[in-house]
Amino acid sequence: MLKLKELKPKVWELTLTGVLEKDDIQRMERELTPALQGDGPLGLIVRAEEWKDITADAMAEDAKFEFGMLAQWSKIAKMAVVTDLQAIAALLKWMDPILPMIDMKAFGSADVAAAEAFVFDLPLKEAAAAGAGVKLLSDGAVSVIAFEIDGRITVEDVDNVLTPLEAHMKGDEKINLLVRFKDFDGFDPAILTNGSLMGTKMKAITHLRRYAVVGAPTWMGAMAGTVAGMLPFEMRIFDGSEDAAAWAWVRAA
């Protein structure tokens, strides 16, 4: 069973009990969509102390709902999950650095008051992303396309990425790419629904020769290092202090 109620303006509590079924998710969709379509910032408490399981149909319905509302999830400034299940708390801890625009915390079942206090303390308005989002450093004229990420990546930043990439993805031409992280403050989830960006990323894989990542957050660097050996191009992770070495490496190809 699933129950949704508004605790105070812009703060919602979602209680999960027993086994969630498809009609539970559909009811949540009907009730939560108007809140997500309103103005942010929003707070969400997920009460999962008595949650047992979820059916396959409910899981598919939930995935469809969450993907369809990607553009709205960035309005959630704070999310608390109340649970004694270590697996859920660990998952939340893993997700937190990936979605830094949402302040997420897990609380035990004895700490409901603390969870409410955390979510009730919303920022006065949606936080403005510091920095420039994505800044073009080199458009390929010196054999390297380079970007700097500073702040939150928005849908508007996508064109800054696509234009120079697409200009060099013709025939068998190869690209050397460098991405430098100055400050990563997350991304607008609506980017994940941008077909042009996804198509360009897939196409770029076949055109990359070398890819340098400089100063990435720890979790991102670890993830990139794990998959680097499986990619059809050379990829290296550099510390933020190794900017000169990263440029020398991509230019040497």
Side-chain angles (χ1 to χ4, degrees):
M1 183 179 292
L2 185 152
K3 182 180 179 181
L4 181 72
K5 69 176 181 179
E6 189 174 15
L7 298 181
K8 59 180 291 187
K10 297 190 176 183
V11 177
W12 296 80
E13 180 184 79
L14 184 64
T15 302
L16 316 178
T17 57
V19 179
L20 296 184
E21 299 184 352
K22 183 176 180 179
D23 59 348
D24 293 319
I25 304 301
Q26 290 173 331
R27 185 170 64 256
M28 177 188 70
E29 180 177 355
R30 291 193 299 270
E31 296 177 2
L32 190 56
T33 294
L36 291 174
Q37 290 177 334
D39 294 331
L42 305 174
L44 179 65
I45 300 177
V46 180
R47 300 282 300 272
E49 304 102 303
E50 299 180 18
W51 178 43
K52 302 299 183 184
D53 206 347
I54 182 171
T55 67
D57 285 348
M59 189 178 297
E61 186 69 21
D62 181 63
K64 183 177 71 173
F65 168 61
E66 293 192 23
F67 189 77
M69 296 296 291
L70 276 175
Q72 310 301 325
W73 289 117
S74 59
K75 294 178 183 177
I76 297 178
K78 289 192 170 184
M79 182 173 74
V81 179
V82 181
T83 179
D84 290 325
L85 295 175
Q86 295 183 12
I88 296 178
L91 178 62
L92 198 69
K93 186 176 181 180
W94 180 82
M95 290 175 58
D96 187 45
I98 299 176
L99 300 171
M101 58 281 197
I102 303 176
D103 192 359
M104 296 183 283
K105 287 187 179 181
F107 296 84
S109 58
D111 299 321
V112 175
E116 291 180 348
F118 167 71
V119 173
F120 286 170
D121 186 24
L122 290 173
L124 296 178
K125 59 181 180 178
E126 291 185 78
V134 177
K135 176 183 177 182
L136 180 65
L137 301 177
S138 171
D139 63 1
V142 291
S143 78
V144 178
I145 298 175
F147 301 97
E148 180 179 82
I149 295 175
D150 180 16
R152 185 173 304 175
I153 304 173
T154 66
V155 175
E156 289 73 23
D157 291 320
V158 170
D159 286 341
N160 292 337
V161 175
L162 294 184
T163 301
L165 281 177
E166 291 178 336
H168 289 270
M169 291 191 299
K170 301 174 182 177
D172 297 326
E173 185 174 351
K174 294 293 183 178
I175 305 168
N176 292 329
L177 181 64
L178 182 146
V179 176
R180 181 171 69 202
F181 286 84
K182 184 177 181 180
D183 178 41
F184 178 64
D185 189 42
F187 60 92
D188 184 340
I191 289 173
L192 299 178
T193 63
N194 187 304
S196 296
L197 178 59
M198 295 301 107
T200 299
K201 287 179 66 176
M202 295 305 296
K203 186 178 178 181
I205 288 176
T206 64
H207 286 267
L208 280 177
R209 180 187 296 108
R210 285 189 170 183
Y211 181 18
V213 180
V214 185
T218 302
W219 66 268
M220 191 181 296
M223 186 179 295
T226 300
V227 302
M230 299 179 285
L231 299 173
F233 52 82
E234 292 184 79
M235 181 178 184
R236 286 193 186 178
I237 313 301
F238 294 85
D239 185 76
S241 63
E242 299 176 312
D243 191 66
W247 277 97
W249 180 71
V250 289
R251 284 172 172 160

